[in-house]
Amino acid sequence: LLSVTKKNGAAVADKHRVVCDLFLKEIEKLVRRSDTNGSNTIDDKELEYLCLRLQTQLLAHGVTEWDGSAFREMVREDNGVDHILEYCRGRFEARKEELIEKGVL
């Protein structure tokens, strides 16, 4: 029984890792696709579409709390795609356990 429990725990942990990786890859795709002119930056026009895409993706995963204003402000301070992706990864990592506990991931 203990062996089965360990295997189930490992399987669940592996599932969470895969889902988290897929979620982050989807966010990365959204950010990169929002850079429509290939400048590796997100300008004001692209930012509005990026925010809509991110909000839609987050809602699809059950994330209802998202501070779009803070996100916009962060992008306006440094609109580089790599910076935005780093910010998104950091925010995700900071809340990953909470999202798993809520059943979002």
Side-chain angles (χ1 to χ4, degrees):
L1 186 59
L2 186 58
S3 175
V4 171
T5 303
K6 285 182 181 179
K7 286 181 183 178
N8 284 342
V12 168
D14 191 49
K15 175 196 148 248
H16 287 306
R17 183 190 56 75
V18 169
V19 170
C20 290
D21 288 347
L22 290 172
F23 182 78
L24 285 172
K25 285 179 184 176
E26 283 300 314
I27 297 298
E28 182 175 354
K29 279 191 228 175
L30 290 175
V31 173
R32 294 201 184 279
R33 286 181 183 163
S34 294
D35 177 22
T36 57
N37 61 8
S39 64
N40 207 33
T41 60
I42 300 294
D43 62 33
D44 284 337
K45 180 182 171 188
E46 294 167 333
L47 177 57
E48 291 310 311
Y49 287 110
L50 173 58
C51 287
L52 288 171
R53 289 176 177 132
L54 284 173
Q55 186 172 15
T56 301
Q57 183 71 17
L58 292 171
L59 285 172
H61 284 278
V63 178
T64 57
E65 298 173 18
W66 184 63
D67 189 350
S69 297
F71 181 80
R72 284 179 183 84
E73 183 63 31
M74 178 276 304
V75 173
R76 287 187 179 110
E77 289 175 12
D78 183 346
N79 66 346
V81 167
D82 292 334
H83 171 74
I84 295 166
L85 291 173
E86 183 180 319
Y87 172 86
C88 291
R89 282 186 209 104
R91 294 286 298 152
F92 177 77
E93 288 299 323
R95 296 194 61 207
K96 180 169 62 174
E97 293 304 319
E98 175 188 343
L99 297 171
I100 290 171
E101 286 176 18
K102 287 183 177 180
V104 172
L105 299 173

